[in-house]
Amino acid sequence: MRILLTGATGYIGRRLLPVLVDAGHSVVCLVRNYHKFDWEGFTPQALKSIEVIEGDLNDAKSLSSIKLKVDVAFYLVHSMSSVSKDFRESEKESATNFVNLTNGTSARQIIYLSGIVNDENLSTHLQSRKNVEEGLRKSSIPVTVLRAAIIIGSGSASFEIIRDLVEKLPVMVAPRWLSTRCQPIAIRNVLEYLFGVMLKPETYNKSFDIGGTEILTYKEMLYQFAETRHLKRLIISVPFLTPRLSSLWLTLITTTSYPLARTLVNSMKNEVICKDESMRDIVKIKLFNYQEALKLAFDKISHRNIISSWKDSFYVRAYGKEMQDNMKVPCDGVFLDTREVEFVRPVDEVIDNLWSIGGSRGYYFGNWMWRVRGLADKLVGGVGLRRGRRSETSLKIGDSLDFWRVMVADKEKGRLILFAEMKIPGEAWLEFNIKQEKGKTMLVQTATFRPLGVWGRIYWYLVLPFHGILFPRMVQNIVKAL
């Protein structure tokens, strides 16, 4: 079978792809940026079954030349963490363009993963999901909609937020939405359902709720998580935390950004409980309860086998295809801090140190200062350092790395470029290059800052003394570290 997979670089799509390939299907992955596609983990034989094409579902022109011959089309695109106030229009446009694209194919089924939308007064985000369903149903192709509750799996937004709250706070003063009920489902079960409904006529033009075996409040989920981790926690619910304060609270304590926290909090007023569980009779699988889903997630984490993370769903429209091959950090109207260190040890060892920067290993010098900077960023609504990194040793384009985003990760050439996603009056990059000339091997570290107005210039001079302390020792220790 030939399958069109959108969202192949996202949390769900990246995990569904190997399931489809291992089952012997050929998969066409439609991605906005070819260079962000993750080729890691596939055997040479599996790679023969994967075709990657570029196209932006929010740009109809980029799709005009695409001609497809597929049997099933998966629509796994959404804007949950979008900072745009018009994400509803963006999602509507994306769905419309997808319909126009697939109507010109031989597809016999569209499969969409949505959210449970059984309440009458839906949050903005859940209403947008429902609107996408309605948009997809305008297609001439039968549509199957799976409406999932909260998804629990290593790297999922829900899992990581719960993990942050429980593992970092012995006592939690929490908002009243903790009493809202939900029906969490393991990511493994979601993938089994997505795979299982393919070309089943009884699912055509129908919607199905999918959830796990238990109905729990968010408070019960936090307590059960603590039990799984052998932790004792106290949760005190208070009535005076507004949605805005709740969002700020989540942003400060967890790895989530403010836009995502705001989306989650607004959606938590809605119960996400399955009303129609007929899918269990159509696709018969072993459903996991909440604690089993947690244990599966931690098994993945313990084996360092996190295939995808919600934090890595990222696209920078401005750089397009140049991101990996010939991207250059701006050089006009910028402030620079460049450090060079000569070394004689094997280049691969220095590159390995570079590819381990951030996360639990830190920045090789002054980690307490980096933590203070991350806390300051959180306090002004930024992402802070808590996002960590997907893998301790692997980096690819689009990865989040604390408050950085990986823009270039060319390990063969020893070139790494990080773009700052912290709240600052301007734009900042941190670039590393291995340079060899005149018989010498150098590690070149360059911090670049493009200020925005007067405040940007003031900011640069305020942090300059800290750069003078951090950056020389940082580059030296990257070269020396074992």
Side-chain angles (χ1 to χ4, degrees):
M1 190 187 305
R2 190 167 171 82
I3 298 167
L4 172 64
L5 179 63
T6 63
T9 58
Y11 179 71
I12 301 294
R14 178 60 183 85
R15 296 188 177 218
L16 181 60
L17 176 57
V19 174
L20 298 173
V21 171
D22 289 346
H25 301 300
S26 297
V27 184
V28 180
C29 299
L30 177 66
V31 299
R32 288 176 293 191
N33 190 296
Y34 180 91
H35 296 288
K36 195 199 164 189
F37 185 82
D38 184 8
W39 298 95
E40 293 183 14
F42 293 103
T43 65
Q45 184 63 33
L47 290 174
K48 295 178 181 178
S49 301
I50 301 173
E51 178 185 355
V52 180
I53 59 176
E54 271 193 344
D56 186 348
L57 287 172
N58 285 118
D59 180 4
K61 291 183 179 178
S62 71
L63 308 173
S64 59
S65 61
I66 296 177
K67 304 298 180 185
L68 297 170
K69 186 177 181 180
V70 295
D71 301 293
V72 174
F74 281 95
Y75 188 78
L76 302 178
V77 178
H78 64 86
S79 305
M80 187 170 184
S81 57
S82 173
V83 298
S84 170
K85 294 182 179 179
D86 298 323
F87 75 89
R88 287 171 295 179
E89 287 301 316
S90 176
E91 290 196 327
K92 181 179 178 181
E93 178 186 23
S94 177
T96 298
N97 289 335
F98 178 81
V99 167
N100 293 335
L101 173 65
T102 52
N103 277 345
T105 72
S106 55
R108 291 177 280 163
Q109 182 187 25
I110 290 173
I111 302 173
Y112 171 50
L113 180 64
S114 183
I116 290 180
V117 288
N118 294 326
D119 280 5
E120 292 183 4
N121 185 23
L122 294 173
S123 69
T124 301
H125 178 67
L126 288 177
Q127 183 61 54
S128 182
R129 291 285 185 93
K130 191 173 183 179
N131 293 343
V132 169
E133 289 184 29
E134 295 170 356
L136 293 176
R137 293 193 190 285
K138 294 178 181 178
S139 172
S140 59
I141 303 167
V143 178
T144 300
V145 178
L146 298 183
R147 296 171 171 171
I150 289 176
I151 298 174
I152 302 297
S154 57
S156 77
S158 301
F159 173 83
E160 295 297 342
I161 289 172
I162 293 171
R163 183 183 183 185
D164 279 341
L165 290 173
V166 174
E167 295 188 354
K168 293 174 181 176
L169 296 176
V171 179
M172 284 176 259
V173 179
R176 58 189 175 190
W177 45 254
L178 283 188
S179 62
T180 303
R181 298 186 304 163
C182 56
Q183 195 168 345
I185 181 171
I187 178 64
R188 186 176 299 185
N189 288 153
V190 174
L191 297 178
E192 289 171 330
Y193 276 137
L194 287 169
F195 180 84
V197 298
M198 287 195 300
L199 295 186
K200 284 190 178 292
E202 61 267 41
T203 69
Y204 291 175
N205 294 320
K206 294 181 181 178
S207 298
F208 301 90
D209 293 345
I210 57 173
T213 61
E214 298 173 291
I215 296 174
L216 304 168
T217 65
Y218 290 107
K219 190 173 185 177
E220 288 171 332
M221 289 174 64
L222 290 171
Y223 273 130
Q224 286 197 26
F225 190 103
E227 182 182 338
T228 301
R229 301 296 285 163
H230 307 292
L231 298 169
K232 291 186 177 180
R233 293 294 183 258
L234 176 62
I235 303 172
I236 304 172
S237 299
V238 295
F240 52 78
L241 282 178
T242 65
R244 176 176 173 79
L245 287 175
S246 297
S247 301
L248 290 172
W249 177 72
L250 276 181
T251 303
L252 181 63
I253 300 301
T254 72
T255 60
T256 186
S257 63
Y258 179 75
L260 178 56
R262 182 182 59 198
T263 299
L264 288 170
V265 168
N266 289 337
S267 296
M268 283 174 174
K269 69 181 182 182
N270 297 120
E271 288 194 339
V272 282
I273 298 172
C274 300
K275 288 188 176 180
D276 174 12
E277 295 185 317
S278 58
M279 177 51 61
R280 296 187 182 187
D281 297 323
I282 298 173
V283 179
K284 298 181 183 298
I285 61 175
K286 179 188 181 302
L287 285 171
F288 298 102
N289 63 34
Y290 176 60
Q291 289 199 341
E292 288 172 334
L294 292 177
K295 290 175 182 177
L296 288 172
F298 278 108
D299 181 64
K300 290 285 186 181
I301 293 170
S302 66
H303 289 88
R304 299 181 181 179
N305 189 26
I306 303 177
I307 297 174
S308 62
S309 170
W310 68 272
K311 294 174 284 189
D312 300 327
S313 299
F314 169 76
Y315 174 60
V316 178
R317 193 181 301 270
Y319 295 118
K321 297 180 180 180
E322 298 182 354
M323 288 176 67
Q324 181 76 6
D325 295 339
N326 52 19
M327 176 187 166
K328 294 182 180 179
V329 173
C331 56
D332 296 323
V334 300
F335 293 112
L336 296 173
D337 186 309
T338 302
R339 314 283 175 170
E340 295 186 2
V341 175
E342 182 182 351
F343 63 92
V344 294
R345 69 185 298 187
V347 172
D348 289 347
E349 293 180 3
V350 176
I351 292 177
D352 285 342
N353 284 342
L354 268 181
W355 257 244
S356 301
I357 197 169
S360 60
R361 183 160 191 176
Y363 291 83
Y364 295 93
F365 181 75
N367 284 331
W368 70 269
M369 286 189 275
W370 288 99
R371 288 193 290 269
V372 170
R373 182 65 186 89
L375 177 59
D377 188 54
K378 273 282 188 179
L379 290 174
V380 296
V383 295
L385 289 178
R386 290 197 175 99
R387 291 191 306 189
R389 45 183 295 160
R390 174 184 56 87
S391 164
E392 294 181 10
T393 57
S394 171
L395 290 176
K396 67 177 187 294
I397 288 179
D399 274 2
S400 61
L401 197 166
D402 297 328
F403 46 43
W404 305 97
R405 184 68 63 175
V406 178
M407 307 299 287
V408 170
D410 190 337
K411 200 167 187 179
E412 183 178 344
K413 295 180 180 178
R415 185 172 184 236
L416 177 66
I417 298 179
L418 308 176
F419 176 74
E421 292 190 325
M422 63 189 81
K423 295 282 187 179
I424 51 176
E427 297 174 313
W429 294 262
L430 187 58
E431 180 176 6
F432 300 92
N433 283 286
I434 301 293
K435 182 173 65 174
Q436 294 178 319
E437 57 181 32
K438 297 181 180 179
K440 297 181 179 180
T441 304
M442 312 282 290
L443 173 61
V444 183
Q445 171 189 285
T446 305
T448 303
F449 180 68
R450 182 162 59 189
L452 179 63
V454 174
W455 284 112
R457 288 167 171 78
I458 292 174
Y459 170 82
W460 173 259
Y461 288 112
L462 286 174
V463 299
L464 200 56
F466 297 98
H467 289 178
I469 297 171
L470 281 172
F471 286 156
R473 294 292 298 275
M474 179 177 162
V475 68
Q476 291 169 10
N477 288 349
I478 290 173
V479 166
K480 296 177 183 177
L482 300 176

